[in-house]
Amino acid sequence: MKAKINKKVKRILKWTLIIFLAYFIATSLYYGEGSFDERTGFSTFYWSGLDDLRRADKASGLLVNEQYPTFLDGTDGPYVFVDKYYVVTADNEIVEGNVDSSGLIIVNTGIEEFPSFSVNLRSSYATETYDYKMPEKLIAISDMEGNLTGFYSFLLANNVIDKKGDWIFGRGALVLNGDFFDRGTQVTPLLWFIYHLDNQAPQSGGKVHFILGNHEIKNLSGDASDGSFKYIEIAKRISGEKQWDKAIRYLYSEKSEMGKWLRSKNICEKIGSHVFVHGGLNRLHLRERFSLEEMNMIARKYMGKNTSALAGMNKRDEIITNTINSPYWDRRLNLDWKIKWTYKLNGIKVLETTEKDLDQILDFYGAEKIIIGHSIVHDISTGYNNKVIKIDVEHGEELSSGKTRGLLIQNNNYYKIKDLDAMKSWSTIM
């Protein structure tokens, strides 16, 4: 009896293994198998899968010791280097031209209601300061991630811009709290639109504060692993570099107008009694008594550097630039510490930021609240007894979706606002 049972168990295990192997082979054959180095684009082994064999925008077939192919994908640009620009047409043709003496360029958006806008190139890029008085009204939004449509809709609904995309927010402040790169397919026109508003706002006494997040820093350093392949392809074509990270670094280098402009921006700023930072501040920043000025200086020092250039940095610089403790990577202020007193990031245990820690951090920086993005939340919300405001949400990608949301501070009141009719959609958050 026992022998029969053992024989039956073995038969079941045998057929289970056969079915599993057959399923694995079938799915690998159809869906593909393998990987590639997201820094270089080089693949030791990659099979695209039968489902992708006829796709023009993906690798087709088998790659062995080859670079993963990338493709242009419709209208993009312009990319400006000194007096030359590059534009990708809807037919995936690259058009080169010379910027005329007026320094005026036209940016196509692909949005029917807002098809294009013009930008005046600057002759120089002054490094931003980091401490500002509180304006009468301030709007903050974070993590738009290549989504110009949602961003345009949000600003239009809240009377920051008119339908033509021009600034009408007067002496107000618009704070962009990081991560406007990657994931979406409108990265280039989105950046130029911010550049455009950055030019216009001071003419009315207003201000655009573009706080750099981890995705801005990643692209400046050549890491486009979260971006569309079309940006890698145009970077390769313009730079002449085949290796992905070298090509992307060139695209946003100090030789490009976009790269020069981005390098003038900060990773943290104080506006009135509010600190704006993409990820967060923690006890290490307090322990080392970093000033806002020093944190911005250290971050700017390493912008555009590759990973090998970061290897020999000193311990203080490492706190500002590494992925665990950096102001643009830290996630401590948006985690539920009632459940976990420590968490692991890249295998390293990280201590929580307690409310006592936060009180000391805020006191050191002379602030009452800290506004963060980076770590997604269901809705604009607060933490640490209203001392932290979290504004990274899943934004809508259509006009007037009601999903694109941000923060309004006016008359010492804090409102959650949407890309719907101004005021009607406001709701207080504390």
Side-chain angles (χ1 to χ4, degrees):
M1 183 70 177
K2 186 175 181 180
K4 287 183 179 180
I5 293 173
N6 288 338
K7 190 174 181 180
K8 188 175 182 180
V9 169
K10 288 180 180 179
R11 189 181 300 118
I12 292 171
L13 290 174
K14 174 185 174 182
W15 280 105
T16 300
L17 180 61
I18 290 171
I19 291 169
F20 173 78
L21 289 173
Y23 175 79
F24 177 78
I25 292 169
T27 54
S28 296
L29 184 65
Y30 186 77
Y31 292 110
E33 190 67 35
S35 62
F36 52 87
D37 186 331
E38 292 180 337
R39 181 179 61 86
T40 64
F42 186 82
S43 177
T44 304
F45 172 83
Y46 183 89
W47 160 246
S48 68
L50 295 174
D51 64 327
D52 283 337
L53 277 181
R54 295 185 179 181
R55 287 186 59 171
D57 63 336
K58 295 196 74 174
S60 296
L62 181 65
L63 301 178
V64 179
N65 295 328
E66 295 179 59
Q67 193 172 55
Y68 190 95
T70 54
F71 305 90
L72 299 175
D73 188 19
T75 305
D76 188 29
Y79 295 94
V80 181
F81 293 79
V82 192
D83 58 352
K84 179 170 281 191
Y85 68 83
Y86 302 84
V87 171
V88 182
T89 70
D91 297 324
N92 296 325
E93 298 291 332
I94 299 177
V95 176
E96 298 181 26
N98 294 317
V99 179
D100 64 33
S101 58
S102 70
L104 185 71
I105 61 171
I106 305 298
V107 181
N108 293 312
T109 67
I111 303 172
E112 184 178 348
E113 296 82 357
F114 178 51
S116 65
F117 59 94
S118 59
V119 176
N120 287 102
L121 297 176
R122 299 184 191 176
S123 58
S124 62
Y125 301 91
T127 299
E128 296 279 2
T129 187
Y130 51 87
D131 197 348
Y132 297 85
K133 291 182 179 179
M134 187 68 186
E136 290 183 5
K137 51 188 176 180
L138 179 152
I139 285 178
I141 189 168
S142 182
D143 295 79
M144 288 307 304
E145 297 176 343
N147 176 9
L148 175 60
T149 305
F151 185 58
Y152 170 79
S153 177
F154 175 80
L155 298 185
L156 183 65
N158 289 285
N159 299 315
V160 177
I161 59 171
D162 60 21
K163 289 184 178 181
K164 296 185 294 183
D166 291 326
W167 180 271
I168 57 170
F169 202 43
R171 299 177 66 84
L174 174 63
V175 183
L176 312 177
N177 214 24
D179 281 10
F180 282 67
F181 271 84
D182 287 341
R183 297 196 170 93
T185 58
Q186 300 171 311
V187 172
T188 311
L190 174 57
L191 292 174
W192 279 121
F193 189 50
I194 297 170
Y195 185 111
H196 162 68
L197 296 177
D198 199 16
N199 280 350
Q200 284 194 337
Q203 298 172 23
S204 303
K207 176 67 179 173
V208 173
H209 302 262
F210 189 3
I211 309 297
L212 302 182
N214 58 302
H215 285 275
E216 281 76 33
I217 299 297
K218 283 175 65 177
N219 278 267
L220 283 167
S221 301
D223 181 352
S225 57
D226 289 313
S228 168
F229 283 163
K230 71 177 185 177
Y231 299 116
I232 296 172
E233 180 62 21
I234 188 62
K236 285 159 56 178
R237 301 274 195 101
I238 292 174
S239 68
E241 297 281 359
K242 291 184 179 181
Q243 192 165 304
W244 289 7
D245 57 344
K246 290 181 179 179
I248 290 292
R249 275 203 305 278
Y250 182 84
L251 198 66
Y252 301 111
S253 68
E254 292 177 286
K255 295 180 180 179
S256 76
E257 292 301 314
M258 192 59 65
K260 287 188 285 188
W261 174 65
L262 288 168
R263 282 168 172 77
S264 71
K265 303 305 177 185
N266 292 320
I267 64 165
C268 51
E269 290 182 3
K270 182 183 171 190
I271 305 175
S273 60
H274 308 81
V275 171
F276 289 86
V277 61
H278 179 64
L281 299 177
N282 58 62
R283 62 173 70 183
L284 293 180
H285 305 137
L286 175 65
R287 186 193 74 187
E288 298 295 323
R289 304 188 70 80
F290 285 111
S291 67
L292 295 179
E293 180 181 25
E294 185 180 9
M295 286 193 285
N296 287 314
M297 287 175 62
I298 292 171
R300 197 169 285 114
K301 174 181 174 182
Y302 293 101
M303 285 179 191
K305 304 293 186 184
N306 60 25
T307 52
S308 62
L310 304 179
M313 72 173 67
N314 63 54
K315 295 295 183 182
R316 280 177 61 80
D317 288 6
E318 187 177 345
I319 291 171
I320 301 304
T321 58
N322 79 21
T323 58
I324 296 171
N325 301 308
S326 165
Y328 46 80
W329 275 104
D330 183 31
R331 296 186 188 272
R332 293 169 174 86
L333 294 177
N334 195 35
L335 294 173
D336 187 355
W337 295 106
K338 295 176 183 177
I339 299 172
K340 287 188 176 182
W341 289 88
T342 60
Y343 77 103
K344 285 188 175 182
L345 183 60
N346 295 338
I348 299 175
K349 190 176 286 188
V350 182
L351 294 175
E352 66 158 326
T353 297
T354 65
E355 188 163 354
K356 181 180 178 182
D357 292 334
L358 180 62
D359 287 340
Q360 292 175 343
I361 290 167
L362 290 173
D363 182 64
F364 178 73
Y365 291 106
E368 296 177 3
K369 299 183 189 300
I370 183 169
I371 292 85
I372 60 171
H374 189 45
S375 299
I376 196 164
V377 290
H378 176 69
D379 204 351
I380 306 293
S381 55
T382 66
Y384 290 83
N385 288 316
N386 296 329
K387 296 165 191 171
V388 174
I389 305 178
K390 311 168 188 180
I391 64 172
D392 176 11
V393 301
E394 289 189 17
H395 300 295
E397 296 181 4
E398 309 84 27
L399 298 174
S400 305
S401 68
K403 298 178 182 178
T404 305
R405 288 156 287 172
L407 170 72
L408 168 67
I409 306 175
Q410 185 171 304
N411 298 324
N412 293 319
N413 293 314
Y414 299 80
Y415 302 95
K416 174 181 65 179
I417 57 177
K418 303 179 181 180
D419 63 333
L420 297 172
D421 291 339
M423 297 189 71
K424 292 182 180 178
S425 63
W426 291 8
S427 57
T428 56
I429 62 170
M430 64 179 75

